[in-house]
Amino acid sequence: MVAAVAAPAVAQSLLRPFRLSPSSIPHSPCNSRHFPSLSSTLQFKNHDCSVCSSSLLISNSRGISPFSLHLHQQFKPLAALDFDLPHPIQPGEEAAKINTNDDTVKQWDWWTAKFAASANIPFLLLQLPQILLNARNLMAGNSSALSAVNWLGSLTGLLANLSLLSYFAKKKETEAMIVQCLGVFTTYVVISQLALAEAMPFPYYILTSTVVGTGVISNFLNYFGMLPPVIWGIWEDFITVGGLSVLPQVMWSTFVPYIPNSILPGAISFVLAMVAVVMARTGKLSEEGVKFYGAISGWTATLLFMWMPVPQLWTNFLNPDNIKGLSALSMLLAMTGNGLMIPRALFTRDFMWFLGSIWASFLYGWGNLLCMYLFNSISREFFFATTAGLLIWIGLTFWKDSRAYGHSSPLRSFKELVFGSQP
């Protein structure tokens, strides 16, 4: 049970500002390891090096550093559904204003990256007890004990991990990639233990191993610009179809037996996903349709993670006695891990990442702690201390972000997160 519920929480989810994937950016001598997003932010109608050079010359003549241009992309975030698109630089008075905040933004950039990286600690601690328990049962010959772990739930979380790994690999968000890799690794270990205990059908395990190996290798090759665009496109189509097929089926299955058990939701969504893939690859979609298609895999992965707390809360509602079997420490670790991702998601104005992280912090971590408090499984002091800590953390995050970007109110940061900045 712990693995089925905890595995999806290993990643939140959930970017260094709005970049194209390496496979989709034309090669140019202007690309720099020190400013990996600079070339993608300078994609106007012409992609050659002369455009990059002239843009930098114009900017430097105004006393604006290349790093300021990189920061400017953060000050002009995209609307929530446009996170996969590049955003051109618009030098001017606003860029000059940004230049005065370089040091502050650099510091906030550094801190948010470290917060995201440190989320690995609570997520690892979250999965480690289940892994050790499974190992002890296997060594003791008690394989039947592993049947209590739902392999389908773990597999769903693994698919979401892989989808978000692809999303963050495209964005070159290293810290978030590491979190997703940790999620893939720990969940795969649990699935391997289930296969050894024959709690998971072996053919499914072989197929899962193939998908995991292919996905991890493809993502790292794409991250370093070594994967052909055709192969990356096939992988993205695969995770899009997989995510769209699994999401409605998982949502439907949550409420069985109160609704009829059926594979119809997954089957219908699979057909629709295949139609979308064919239309996208044959050029039958409009520009808006292509944009929507490109965002599907990331959003389905995020929605999978957002849905995962719901079965546990539903179980709490139907069987309050089961709350005593929940670990307050596990819920606290889940809340902490996802909470540490929130500053980075806000800083990069990635609404999808932010929504997944804050949802998991409140609904999965804090929401289960609330249920445990209401049924006297934890003390009042523990509950109110964790509640205050979460609210203070989010408040400080918005306050620091608004200070870094030079806004007069934290509401400006939230507005840019949800709607994007207005020209």
Side-chain angles (χ1 to χ4, degrees):
M1 181 190 71
V2 175
V5 176
V10 173
Q12 296 311 350
S13 52
L14 39 51
L15 302 177
R16 292 194 200 285
F18 322 111
R19 304 166 195 150
L20 290 173
S21 65
S23 60
S24 62
I25 299 175
H27 175 72
S28 168
C30 288
N31 291 345
S32 168
R33 293 178 65 89
H34 298 288
F35 301 100
S37 67
L38 189 56
S39 60
S40 65
T41 61
L42 295 172
Q43 302 300 314
F44 297 103
K45 292 183 179 180
N46 190 352
H47 296 284
D48 60 25
C49 191
S50 61
V51 176
C52 301
S53 301
S54 61
S55 300
L56 290 175
L57 287 173
I58 293 173
S59 301
N60 287 334
S61 68
R62 301 186 184 192
I64 302 173
S65 66
F67 186 78
S68 300
L69 294 178
H70 175 72
L71 295 178
H72 185 73
Q73 195 178 12
Q74 298 165 0
F75 272 79
K76 300 289 289 182
L78 303 173
L81 292 179
D82 296 341
F83 53 82
D84 257 343
L85 302 178
H87 196 78
I89 301 301
Q90 299 176 5
E93 294 181 0
E94 185 176 356
K97 178 182 177 182
I98 295 167
N99 191 41
T100 64
N101 291 333
D102 274 2
D103 291 339
T104 304
V105 179
K106 283 181 184 179
Q107 292 177 3
W108 186 228
D109 183 7
W110 186 87
W111 277 109
T112 57
K114 297 306 176 186
F115 289 146
S118 63
N120 284 288
I121 299 175
F123 286 146
L124 178 61
L125 295 176
L126 186 66
Q127 280 285 68
L128 197 57
Q130 184 65 54
I131 293 174
L132 294 176
L133 178 61
N134 291 345
R136 285 197 298 267
N137 284 324
L138 284 173
M139 294 175 65
N142 187 20
S143 300
S144 59
L146 276 72
S147 300
V149 180
N150 188 312
W151 68 269
L152 187 58
S154 297
L155 185 61
T156 301
L158 183 60
L159 177 61
N161 281 130
L162 282 172
S163 297
L164 286 179
L165 176 60
S166 300
Y167 176 77
F168 289 124
K170 282 199 303 182
K171 302 296 182 179
K172 296 294 186 296
E173 190 66 29
T174 307
E175 295 80 11
M177 279 186 64
I178 295 174
V179 173
Q180 304 308 320
C181 285
L182 178 65
V184 170
F185 175 75
T186 54
T187 308
Y188 181 73
V189 170
V190 172
I191 285 179
S192 298
Q193 292 173 326
L194 297 179
L196 288 174
E198 299 182 352
M200 175 183 183
F202 194 71
Y204 286 100
Y205 174 71
I206 295 298
L207 180 61
T208 300
S209 300
T210 303
V211 172
V212 169
T214 303
V216 171
I217 293 173
S218 298
N219 276 286
F220 275 93
L221 289 178
N222 183 64
Y223 178 80
F224 292 107
M226 300 169 59
L227 190 71
V230 174
I231 298 179
W232 179 250
I234 293 174
W235 170 251
E236 286 197 309
D237 290 340
F238 174 78
I239 60 176
T240 297
V241 172
L244 278 178
S245 302
V246 170
L247 177 61
Q249 189 62 49
V250 169
M251 296 174 70
W252 180 274
S253 299
T254 298
F255 303 106
V256 174
Y258 295 93
I259 57 176
N261 189 7
S262 173
I263 63 170
L264 192 60
I268 293 175
S269 55
F270 173 79
V271 172
L272 293 177
M274 290 300 297
V275 171
V277 168
V278 172
M279 292 182 66
R281 295 307 171 191
T282 56
K284 302 297 184 180
L285 295 179
S286 64
E287 182 179 347
E288 291 298 320
V290 172
K291 182 196 304 183
F292 179 79
Y293 175 80
I296 287 177
S297 62
W299 276 105
T300 50
T302 300
L303 291 173
L304 275 171
F305 283 120
M306 291 175 65
W307 185 259
M308 288 305 168
V310 176
Q312 182 63 59
L313 294 175
W314 177 247
T315 301
N316 294 347
F317 173 75
L318 295 177
N319 303 296
D321 291 340
N322 288 347
I323 295 176
K324 296 179 181 179
L326 294 179
S327 168
L329 180 59
S330 295
M331 298 302 108
L332 180 61
L333 288 171
M335 186 181 76
T336 302
N338 288 292
L340 287 170
M341 306 289 278
I342 293 174
R344 189 69 191 169
L346 177 62
F347 173 75
T348 56
R349 300 301 191 262
D350 190 315
F351 180 69
M352 187 193 77
W353 188 6
F354 178 87
L355 183 62
S357 296
I358 203 164
W359 177 278
S361 294
F362 273 99
L363 197 64
Y364 179 63
W366 183 83
N368 279 304
L369 288 175
L370 175 62
C371 292
M372 297 174 73
Y373 168 68
L374 293 176
F375 288 93
N376 299 318
S377 293
I378 58 175
S379 66
R380 174 185 301 178
E381 292 76 14
F382 180 84
F383 173 72
F384 282 105
T386 53
T387 301
L390 179 60
L391 294 178
I392 291 172
W393 175 253
I394 294 175
L396 287 174
T397 294
F398 274 92
W399 174 78
K400 181 62 178 178
D401 188 86
S402 63
R403 290 286 301 273
Y405 280 106
H407 299 331
S408 59
S409 169
L411 293 177
R412 173 71 181 276
S413 293
F414 182 76
K415 181 180 178 182
E416 288 185 346
L417 173 71
V418 178
F419 302 105
S421 64
Q422 300 300 320

